[in-house]
Amino acid sequence: MTDSVLVAMSGGVDSSVAAALLLEAGYDVTGVTLRLWGGESDQGCCSAADVDDARRVAQQLGIAHYVFNLADEFTAGVVEPYVAAHADGLTPNPCIECNRTIKFDQLLRRTDAMGFDLLATGHHARIGPGGQLRRGADPGKDQSYVLHMLSAAVLQRVRFPVGDMTKDEVRRRADGLGLRSADKPDSQEVCFIASTTSRGGFLADRGLTLTPGRVVEAGSGTEVGRVEGVELVTVGQRKGLGLAGGSEPRYVTSVDVNSATVTVGPRRDLLVDHVTVTSWSWVTGPMTGAVQVQTSAHGVPVDGWLEPTGVVRLAQPTRRVAPGQSVVAYRGDQVVGGGPAL
C-alpha cells in the first residue's frame, strides 16, 4: 500500500520541492498551508501571499491542498511566549517554539486525525536509523538546530525530502519543474513582526510596557549610558546602548530587568568555560560525554563535555550564551539534544 503523506507547504521553494520529490517517489501527497498570524505581516512565512503561493504550487503539481487556521494556537504557543521572554529579560527563539508547538505538535495531530501515514516539511535536515536527527547536507542551510526538540518517536513519522540536497540543487530542481517558487527568497526575520514595525512597537502593542534602564560598567558600577527598554537588550549586544566612546568596545554581559540595569564590559568579560541548560530535550535519550555545542542557528560548534547534571564544560573559553537562547549538542552531524541556556 502506498504511504500517504501530508506536506507542510509554506509557499517557499524548499517545501514546494519536498512535495514534488515525494510525488515522484510514489507517495500519495497532499499539501497543507498553515495560516498562523492574523496580524500585520509582510515577511517570513506568515503572509497571505505565502498561502497563495503554496496553493498555486499544489495546483501545478496536481495535488490536493488545504489551509489550516492555527492562529489561536500560534498566538498561545509562539507569540505570547515571545513577549513573556522579553518581559523576563530572556532571548526568545520563536522559530524553535513554532516547530515545537505548531509544526510538530498541532500539525502532527491533524496528520493523525486525517488518517495520513506521514508528515513532511521542507527543512534542511536528515533523519537517520532509529529516528536520529542529523544535519542537512548543505552546511549553510542546515536547520537541525531549530529541530533539536524532536524525539526519535516523532522523527520516525516525519520526512525531510530536501535534507540531502544543497539549496542550489533545490532551486535547480524547482526551476526544472517550472515551479513558481523557484526564485523566491528565503525568509529571514521574525514572521509575525512586519518590516515597518519595530520590535519595541510590537511588544508595546502586545501589552508590554518597556522599562527605561541604566547601563553600567562591570566592576565599578559607573553609569555610562541609558536604554529605552531593558527588555529589548540581550547579552552580547554591542550597539544601541548609547555609550560614550571608550578605549575598547563594550558588550552587554548581563541584563537585570528587576533593577532596570544593563551591565557592560570588554569582550573578555563575555568569555565562559561552561554553559548550563535549564531543561534538556533529548532526541534518542539522555547522553553524557564529548559533544560539540552550537548556540545559534548557524553558529560555529565548540567542543565540550556534557556532564550528568546537564552542564556543558567547554574546551576553550567561549562567548556567553544569552539566557533563553537554545544550546544544541551534537556528536558529529547527529543532534544529541538541546535546551535553553540559564
Side-chain angles (χ1 to χ4, degrees), residues 252-329:
V252 174
T253 59
S254 69
V255 179
D256 187 336
V257 173
N258 291 331
S259 65
T261 303
V262 174
T263 303
V264 297
R267 186 181 184 280
R268 61 181 175 272
D269 285 359
L270 279 177
L271 300 180
V272 297
D273 62 4
H274 71 280
V275 58
T276 300
V277 174
T278 57
S279 56
W280 282 88
S281 295
W282 306 103
V283 178
T284 59
M287 293 188 184
T288 58
V291 293
Q292 298 81 48
V293 175
Q294 189 169 318
T295 59
S296 63
H298 298 291
V300 177
V302 177
D303 288 338
W305 186 269
L306 178 54
E307 298 183 342
T309 59
V311 173
V312 181
R313 298 291 170 184
L314 302 170
Q316 62 189 43
T318 302
R319 183 168 166 152
R320 181 178 302 160
V321 185
Q325 185 71 21
S326 288
V327 175
V328 179

Side-chain angles (χ1 to χ4, degrees), residues 4-339:
S4 60
V5 55
L6 187 65
V7 184
M9 300 180 68
S10 66
V13 65
D14 294 315
S15 59
S16 298
V17 170
L21 292 175
L22 290 167
L23 199 60
E24 291 176 3
Y27 287 90
D28 180 6
V29 179
T30 299
V32 62
T33 303
L34 306 181
R35 193 182 296 276
L36 299 177
W37 180 236
E40 182 183 1
S41 177
D42 57 6
Q43 58 188 354
C45 54
C46 292
S47 69
D50 293 319
V51 177
D52 290 337
D53 287 343
R55 180 183 293 112
R56 290 171 183 172
V57 168
Q59 290 173 345
Q60 285 183 271
L61 295 176
I63 62 175
H65 178 262
Y66 297 94
V67 178
F68 294 164
N69 188 341
L70 297 179
D72 289 345
E73 291 84 351
F74 184 75
T75 297
V78 180
V79 179
E80 289 177 358
Y82 177 85
V83 176
H86 276 292
D88 291 337
L90 303 176
T91 300
N93 289 277
C95 289
I96 287 176
E97 293 312 311
C98 185
N99 285 327
R100 186 197 313 274
T101 64
I102 304 299
K103 294 174 183 173
F104 298 96
D105 183 8
Q106 293 293 331
L107 185 53
L108 201 51
R109 294 173 189 267
R110 296 287 185 101
T111 301
D112 290 341
M114 296 177 71
F116 289 95
D117 298 308
L118 301 166
L119 171 66
T121 74
H123 285 100
H124 281 262
R126 292 180 285 187
I127 301 171
Q132 297 175 2
L133 177 61
R134 296 187 176 277
R135 291 188 183 277
D138 188 336
K141 294 298 180 180
D142 169 49
Q143 293 175 295
S144 59
Y145 173 88
V146 297
L147 300 172
H148 71 265
M149 79 300 297
L150 300 181
S151 68
V154 167
L155 288 165
Q156 291 185 65
R157 304 169 57 207
V158 169
R159 297 291 182 269
F160 299 136
V162 303
D164 288 313
M165 305 171 69
T166 67
K167 188 72 176 199
D168 287 343
E169 289 171 339
V170 171
R171 291 199 182 279
R172 285 196 297 269
R173 179 62 69 92
D175 186 60
L177 292 169
L179 299 182
R180 59 182 291 110
S181 58
D183 297 322
K184 188 172 181 177
D186 295 337
S187 59
Q188 299 290 337
E189 306 296 334
V190 177
C191 69
F192 50 84
I193 300 181
S195 60
T196 55
T197 304
S198 68
R199 186 165 43 117
F202 176 84
L203 294 172
D205 288 343
R206 304 297 295 183
L208 177 60
T209 301
L210 297 179
T211 308
R214 303 186 308 140
V215 181
V216 302
E217 288 274 14
S220 68
T222 303
E223 183 172 322
V224 292
R226 303 282 298 183
V227 292
E228 293 183 0
V230 294
E231 296 87 354
L232 300 178
V233 181
T234 188
V235 168
Q237 181 176 330
R238 179 184 172 188
K239 298 180 179 179
L241 302 173
L243 303 182
S247 59
E248 60 182 319
R250 287 166 290 182
Y251 301 82
V252 174
T253 59
S254 69
V255 179
D256 187 336
V257 173
N258 291 331
S259 65
T261 303
V262 174
T263 303
V264 297
R267 186 181 184 280
R268 61 181 175 272
D269 285 359
L270 279 177
L271 300 180
V272 297
D273 62 4
H274 71 280
V275 58
T276 300
V277 174
T278 57
S279 56
W280 282 88
S281 295
W282 306 103
V283 178
T284 59
M287 293 188 184
T288 58
V291 293
Q292 298 81 48
V293 175
Q294 189 169 318
T295 59
S296 63
H298 298 291
V300 177
V302 177
D303 288 338
W305 186 269
L306 178 54
E307 298 183 342
T309 59
V311 173
V312 181
R313 298 291 170 184
L314 302 170
Q316 62 189 43
T318 302
R319 183 168 166 152
R320 181 178 302 160
V321 185
Q325 185 71 21
S326 288
V327 175
V328 179
Y330 292 79
R331 281 188 175 156
D333 69 349
Q334 180 183 349
V335 177
V336 172

